[in-house]
Amino acid sequence: ELPHAGPLVATSAAARDYAVTIVRHFLYAALMVPLWEALTRSTDPELAAIAARSVKEMRYHLAHTRDWLVRFGDGTDESHARSQAALDWLMPYTNEFFATDGVEMAAAEAGFGVRPADLRDAWEATVR
């Protein structure tokens, strides 16, 4: 939901920075892999089946964006700086990933959903 422009707006860099795209997608994929993995254990068989297919796709996205992020970090000074700036700009927003409301709590307690807060350790391990 954030504007795409990122931390380099009003600089010589393009308004639509590819580093922001990759970092944002990496942070999201790092969340969605453990989410879909957890949902494979849902008591709702249809949701569990959807999750089993979805986790494969998200693992691909995570690997793809992780590879790009490593390339940026190990690349030129500019690519490293831009990816670091994107990460610094986006990280504060990631706390919202783990906010849990009453609906999510009820779904988790009923056995078919997941508490987002329970995904934080797996997400942090991947991001580190």
Side-chain angles (χ1 to χ4, degrees):
E1 295 178 15
L2 291 172
H4 181 83
L8 300 175
V9 170
T11 68
S12 61
R16 297 183 68 80
D17 189 348
Y18 191 58
V20 171
T21 300
I22 291 299
V23 171
R24 182 177 57 200
H25 196 125
F26 169 75
L27 295 172
Y28 178 74
L31 173 69
M32 294 309 293
V33 168
L35 174 67
W36 286 122
E37 288 173 343
L39 288 172
T40 64
R41 298 181 294 279
S42 174
T43 58
D44 180 311
E46 187 172 346
L47 180 54
I50 291 168
R53 290 187 302 274
S54 297
V55 74
K56 293 175 188 175
E57 182 73 17
M58 287 313 300
R59 284 181 183 142
Y60 166 79
H61 287 287
L62 179 60
H64 176 74
T65 57
R66 182 181 355 216
D67 289 350
W68 270 108
L69 198 49
V70 168
R71 283 186 198 115
F72 289 163
D74 291 345
T76 66
D77 289 343
E78 181 180 354
S79 70
H80 180 90
R82 288 173 76 150
S83 59
Q84 185 64 57
L87 185 63
D88 292 344
W89 182 63
L90 292 167
M91 279 300 287
Y93 296 102
T94 61
N95 286 320
E96 295 177 21
F97 289 171
F98 309 105
T100 303
D101 64 22
V103 173
E104 291 164 323
M105 285 294 288
E109 289 170 4
F112 58 86
V114 176
R115 282 179 3 115
D118 293 341
L119 306 172
R120 186 174 212 120
D121 289 344
W123 179 83
E124 286 181 353
T126 299
V127 171
R128 275 194 213 103

